Amino acid sequence: MATVDGSVYHALIARGVSRRSFLKFSAAMAGALMLPAAYGPRIANALSTAKRLPVIWLEGQDCAGNTEAFLRASHPTVAEIILDTLSVDYHETIMAAAGRQAEDARKATMKAFPNGYLVVVEGSIPIAEGGIYCTIGGRTFEDTVKEVCAGAKAVIAVGSCAFDGGLPAAKGGPTGAVGVSQVVPKATVVNMPGCPMNVQNLTAAIVHFLTFGSLPATDSLGRPLFAYGQLIHDQCERRAHFERGEFVTAWGDDASRKGWCLYKMGCKGPETYANCPTARFNDGTSWPVKAGHGCVGCTMPSFWDQMSPFYGRLSTTPGFGSDVTADQVGLGIVATVAGLTALHAGGSYVRHKRDAAAPPPPAEAVEAGTATGGTQA
Amino acid sequence: MTRIAIDPVTRIEGHLRIEVEVQNGVVTDAWSSGTMFRGMELILQGRDPRDAWVFAQRACGVCTTVHALASVRAVENALGMKIPNNARLIRNLIAGMQYVQDHVIHFYHLHALDWVDVVSALSADPKKAADLAASISDWPTSSVAAMTAVQQKLKTFVDSGQLGPFANGYWGHKAYKLPPEANLMAVAHYLEALEWQRDVIRVHALLGAKNPHPQTYVVGGMALAIDPNSPTALNARGLSEIASLFAKAKAFVDRVYIPDVLAVASFYKDWAGLGKGIGNYMAYGDFPDTVGGEVDGFYFPRGRIMNRDLSRVEPVDQQLIAETVAHSWYNYSDGDDKLRHPWQGETKPNYKGPKPPFETLEGFDKYSWLKAPRYDDQPMEVGPLARMLVAYGKGHADVKAQVDAVLKTLGVGPEALFSTLGRIAARAVETKLLAGKLAGWLAELEANLGRGDLAVADVSKWDPSSWPQNAQGFGMEEAPRGALAHWVVIKDKKIENYQLVVPSTWNGSPRDSKNRRGAWEEALIGTPIADPNAPVEVLRTIHSFDPCMACAVHVYDPEVGSSVEIRVV
């Protein structure tokens, strides 16, 4: 927490953090952001002079999963402290004030820091029927998002719902749910999809913002390249088994205990851009494939419809270079969003434009039988 | 007469609006309104039933994991699957850890600020605060130096002028009764619990890949591979890490959370006479504690207590659960006042509230996105208190011993349980009990591994070709916030209908077709309000239920004249 004249660095020192730990933390953050190690001192310098950044955290059609992820921020000790670089002035789930007093706190920040506060949006925004599917303080969430984002220095959409409408926007959803970018098209919005997002990536994005005065570089979907620039498949610890044609074919089989590839159990890692295998969750403890379940593709557009059925096998497998980003694969994602409707027959996730570029998958994968998952081992 | 609207009710999950009518400083009527709707049930229709848990889990990220469990149970019930013993144990470990972490977060981060005046802590004597802490627990971090550091940290924070999440609280309200030293101790533990919770919940990552929203459930068991000799499965190293996290969790519960609850409660005994509520309590029961997972062997038993009569525990039959939408923003095809069992449930949104922006729901017959569930046509309260009362009524040895000890410490009788304070005490008691059970379930799992039993899933019915053309099932569970159930109807391998009836729908229910209030509404009646502009008393009772609105959505009386003053506070 900041002192009166307050830099983050001084606040950390006041909390008993050594200069050495602080510099180590800065170096770690440079790593998380995939910046050269030389950036460590620059981050340290920026944090030494930054005031606590006011944050307004808005929740709409959400489950508070990203809030909970935020509370798990856990780069030992120091990552917890980095939260003190922020002044979280409005956040329904944790704030002491309620009712009008809560809304007053939000308004006070907007007034005191015009174009100087960070907005984090969690949850989708229902725009059907005049926005009546989500109201807070008697106002529609849509109104609040527009007003608050208009005066923001930067906007970060956390989780898949704030990214593109997420679950409420899935097929059958009646509320007209959309993501932040669709409601405030003029704002620069950084999207951090995931269900929920990995808080380590949020922390890194905020540090980037404090250090360089801007949010990190993104792909065409607004996702930071440092976190969403590579396929899960290309970073996966089970990739060698994929190459050797060694697959889990039933839950609990011998192959599952050997840590073989989950491709045949419906893993969407070959289609999904995210750093889960390297960043992992809960202080780097684990991630779905490590724990034995396939990826469900939650960082991808319309994943609830495009990546399900979750146990259906991808029809072909990729063979891109490990440095290829989502934008460089022939807009494959956009194409699939636009083009995919017939998902269910056989449960295969049809690949479109990428097929031409992709070399054939290993024989074992091609001869894929039913796409409905395992049989008794 | 004054009508007060609190919106948003904060320090809960989701979006809740409470309106109360106050006469002569006392709440005389109340309305609970869920103000957000997503349409989970509609989105699930037509999907693969094996995918349902991934969707359903997103009902809530605070009560994460609980909807995943209810969902796999519902589909397993429909398809006649029986999970292996190891899957039962892993699910108990995940669910038990969820209770322990979630209840502690609720006490310190969602509820405490209704009882603890953060600003008052600035005037505390750190030495006295440390003495106070030492008098109730031997917890090592409660030293004078630690209390001084926390106070200094708080002072720096306040002096910065940026109060962050503590801005605009009801600080200085005369309903706050703790001495400054107790407030300082509570703030210290608020911060310590924040660190503790993120560490101990790594158990979910070890067993379920991540938290929130673990991802190792499968219909039929778990996807997590277990093998003491495998470098990639849950092995001896992982098991020992889980064991040490359980020990850390239990230590904090026994030596910080429980003493703090008792200490804070001793200053607020008047709240043992407030927030009484409906008086009907229901628990589905959970934590299958036998190899076969039979209901009779649940650690927390199933049953109902009606009209606060602890001498009788009535049975629970899911067939008698039904929902009405008489005062909810939905239509039923055969009349909104009808009661529909979830298998015949309908979700047809039909907003009939005021056009936003609005100041009040007064005058609107339909006023919430929550439906009104009823058991055999009766409104019920669910949650920790219901669980502990049912167990107490059944003579459950562990529960009886703990509950009696709490009552003795506070010098009150069992009737004090039917209250706002009773809910807080019941939550603490069950946290202590579960924190004590985790190590035993882990030991059972380890013993199975030692015998070479590595089974985690029954996959004999994984392939949809093995399913009947039509099936229906239900999955019942005790989530931390109370009785939770999912109902599924499967037709031609796809979900035909899916309904969730969740704890906060029971508790936060609007009125039913007979105009009977839901549990929160009823519990608010009689609450004293010292200052209508700062109704902290309303928050105390509402928070004692630990509302979760995202889960709950899947609060009129015309006796008010034009002279009513409406305050939105």
Side-chain angles (χ1 to χ4, degrees), chain A residues 59-61 63 71-72 80 88 92 96-97 99-101 133 135 137-138 195 257 282 293-294 305 309-310 372, chain B residues 7-8 10-11 15 35 37 43 47 50-51 53 58 61 160 164-165 168 195 197 211 215 230 357-358 462 533 569:
Chain A
E59 293 171 89
Q61 285 178 303
C63 73
L71 295 178
R72 308 288 182 272
E80 170 57 27
V88 183
E92 280 186 72
R100 172 165 283 173
Q101 282 91 336
Y133 290 107
T135 64
C195 195
R257 289 187 287 275
N282 300 96
H293 192 285
D305 293 332
F310 296 125
T372 50
Chain B
D7 181 3
T10 51
R11 282 180 281 123
H15 305 292
T35 65
F37 172 75
I43 291 163
R47 312 253 175 197
R50 296 170 303 175
D51 283 359
W53 72 267
R58 272 66 185 183
S160 77
N168 278 10
E195 288 292 306
Q197 59 86 23
N211 170 285
Q215 195 166 310
S230 164
F358 60 85
W462 177 257
N533 289 310
V569 298

Side-chain angles (χ1 to χ4, degrees), chain B residues 400-437:
Chain B
K400 203 155 179 344
Q402 288 300 327
V403 168
D404 285 341
V406 168
L407 294 175
K408 193 174 166 212
T409 305
L410 294 176
V412 293
E415 70 286 350
L417 293 168
F418 308 115
S419 68
T420 297
L421 208 54
R423 289 183 199 100
I424 297 169
R427 189 173 289 111
V429 164
E430 67 174 17
T431 307
K432 184 176 172 66
L433 293 176
L434 283 172
K437 284 291 283 184

Side-chain angles (χ1 to χ4, degrees), chain A residues 163 191 193 217-219 221-225 228 273 299-301 326 333:
Chain A
F163 168 47
N191 289 311
T218 65
D219 63 15
L221 296 171
R223 302 176 299 185
L225 290 166
Y228 302 88
Y273 285 85
T299 59
M300 302 304 285
I333 301 309

Side-chain angles (χ1 to χ4, degrees), chain A residues 35-62:
Chain A
L35 297 170
Y39 273 89
R42 195 169 162 188
I43 289 174
N45 184 50
L47 294 182
S48 300
T49 51
K51 308 268 183 182
R52 275 164 67 219
L53 176 68
V55 173
I56 296 176
W57 185 302
L58 300 175
E59 293 171 89
Q61 285 178 303
D62 73 318

Side-chain angles (χ1 to χ4, degrees), chain A residues 11-92:
Chain A
L12 298 184
I13 297 301
R15 288 186 57 150
V17 174
S18 70
R19 174 148 184 89
R20 187 163 169 275
S21 313
F22 178 67
L23 292 174
K24 254 173 85 178
F25 168 74
S26 300
M29 272 296 143
L33 287 160
M34 303 179 82
L35 297 170
Y39 273 89
R42 195 169 162 188
I43 289 174
N45 184 50
L47 294 182
S48 300
T49 51
K51 308 268 183 182
R52 275 164 67 219
L53 176 68
V55 173
I56 296 176
W57 185 302
L58 300 175
E59 293 171 89
Q61 285 178 303
D62 73 318
C63 73
N66 293 282
T67 290
E68 287 289 332
F70 179 63
L71 295 178
R72 308 288 182 272
S74 63
H75 206 285
T77 323
V78 192
E80 170 57 27
I81 296 168
I82 200 66
L83 300 178
D84 292 337
T85 65
L86 309 178
S87 182
V88 183
D89 297 344
Y90 183 90
H91 190 314
E92 280 186 72

Side-chain angles (χ1 to χ4, degrees), chain B residues 548-562:
Chain B
C548 182
M549 304 307 292
C551 286
V553 183
H554 34 155
V555 194
Y556 174 152
D557 208 323
E559 294 295 311
V560 290
S562 55

